[in-house]
Amino acid sequence: MDFSLFAELAINGALSGLMYALVALGIVLIYKSSSVPNLAQGAMTMLGAYVVLAIARGLGVSLWLAIPLAMVVMFFVGMGIERVALRRLAGRPVIMILMMTLGIDIFTRAAAMSIWGSTGAPMNIGISDEPLFLGPLLINRAYVVGAVVAVALFLVFLFFFHTRRGIVLRAISDDYIASWSVGISVERGIATSWAMASVLATTAGVLWGSVQGVNQGLALLLLKGLTVAVLGGLDSIGGAILASLLLGLLEGVAAGYLDPLVGGGSRELVVAATLILTIMIRPHGLFGRHDIERI
């Protein structure tokens, strides 16, 4: 075995996995405040990237100014989604809210295609295409930047969920009715989590857009993000980071060795197999909370 090739595939895979965590953290954030898996996070990632480009072109400003402006816009988009589509479903069966997030995903992708078309656009945020040299290894610079941002956001959210506001969101996730009974505004808490997840989606959209361009394909990051979230545990922020490293490493090594033999597609196979096996063997994930209800 060529150790240098293996190490290069593993390192680049792990770094790209941390970029998947940018999508997974949005899913975990909403789950920790509402106990509902968010199936719209991929579409929100795509929308955030499109909004950045639209602001940059419409106002004639640089991408670095358009990014924070887009985050403000997406913050209110997240608040609006909760207010218009989800608030009236509070207290309803989880499956209804889950289907609503799926509907939001489909609507957002269709709306983006109607407004911006299906043609992709570059997202040049100044990251060089030249690789970093780590001895004989070639490391993708964009993956390094994305991984650093993912770890930084992990630390931010780890701190946030130990603040008073974060504890309130965790209480809402545990029991809506009990939270209402002690005066917690469940609606405001869930709206806050959707707004934060939308800002996070913009970050993911910008970084992934710099790698693969801004197009409808960004919405497909939902599968990678959801797999990471499920593997790590839907209510575990730390689990999302560790699971992203594991999934990215497996995906990178598998693609490097299997794609030449089977003609491609091994990345998607690894992701799908990981999701299926996790649900079958350990449905609460590696670090998720295992709730047992007595009936």
Side-chain angles (χ1 to χ4, degrees):
M1 176 185 291
D2 186 340
F3 177 76
S4 295
L5 174 61
F6 177 83
E8 184 174 306
L9 293 173
I11 293 173
N12 280 295
L15 292 174
S16 68
L18 283 172
M19 289 184 65
Y20 297 151
L22 293 170
V23 182
L25 286 172
I27 296 172
V28 171
L29 177 63
I30 290 179
Y31 189 86
K32 284 179 74 70
S33 64
S34 63
S35 294
V36 175
N38 172 23
L39 299 184
Q41 193 67 17
M44 298 300 288
T45 298
M46 175 200 67
L47 180 62
Y50 273 122
V51 170
V52 169
L53 291 181
I55 291 176
R57 293 171 179 175
L59 299 182
V61 298
S62 69
L63 283 177
W64 287 108
L65 178 58
I67 290 170
L69 293 176
M71 288 180 175
V72 173
V73 171
M74 290 298 293
F75 180 91
F76 287 104
V77 167
M79 295 280 284
I81 288 174
E82 188 282 330
R83 182 66 181 87
V84 174
L86 298 174
R87 182 165 298 188
R88 63 191 63 194
L89 297 180
R92 301 289 181 87
V94 172
I95 187 63
M96 295 180 64
I97 306 175
L98 186 65
M99 290 300 99
M100 176 61 79
T101 67
L102 179 59
I104 293 169
D105 172 84
I106 296 170
F107 176 83
T108 302
R109 284 189 287 162
M113 182 171 289
S114 298
I115 297 171
W116 292 291
S118 58
T119 304
M123 175 75 76
N124 185 9
I125 57 175
I127 301 176
S128 174
D129 292 331
E130 295 183 3
L132 289 173
F133 290 89
L134 187 62
L137 309 181
L138 303 180
I139 309 299
N140 189 305
R141 290 177 184 266
Y143 289 167
V144 173
V145 173
V148 170
V149 173
V151 172
L153 288 172
F154 158 69
L155 296 175
V156 169
F157 284 118
L158 195 65
F159 171 77
F160 171 76
F161 278 104
H162 286 85
T163 64
R164 179 181 178 85
R165 190 62 182 171
I167 293 172
V168 166
L169 293 183
R170 289 159 58 190
I172 292 172
S173 175
D174 284 338
D175 194 318
Y176 283 14
I177 296 177
S179 299
W180 271 317
S181 68
V182 297
I184 294 175
S185 175
V186 172
E187 296 85 356
R188 185 181 302 169
I190 296 176
T192 299
S193 68
W194 271 88
M196 293 171 62
S198 297
V199 172
L200 190 55
T202 306
T203 305
V206 168
L207 290 170
W208 274 109
S210 71
V211 172
Q212 65 184 55
V214 178
N215 50 48
Q216 292 281 321
L218 290 177
L220 300 180
L221 288 169
L222 172 66
L223 178 58
K224 307 288 182 71
L226 187 61
T227 301
V228 167
V230 170
L231 178 60
L234 279 168
D235 61 344
S236 174
I237 293 178
I241 293 295
L242 294 176
S244 68
L245 284 168
L246 177 60
L247 180 65
L249 190 151
L250 290 174
E251 187 187 57
V253 172
Y257 286 103
L258 295 181
D259 276 359
L261 300 177
V262 301
S266 57
R267 288 179 178 272
E268 289 71 21
L269 181 62
V270 168
V271 173
T274 301
L275 179 60
I276 292 171
L277 290 174
T278 301
I279 293 173
M280 290 175 59
I281 299 171
R282 196 176 177 87
H284 56 283
L286 297 175
F287 303 98
R289 185 175 58 187
H290 190 187
D291 292 329
I292 300 177
E293 295 184 5
R294 188 179 301 276
I295 60 174

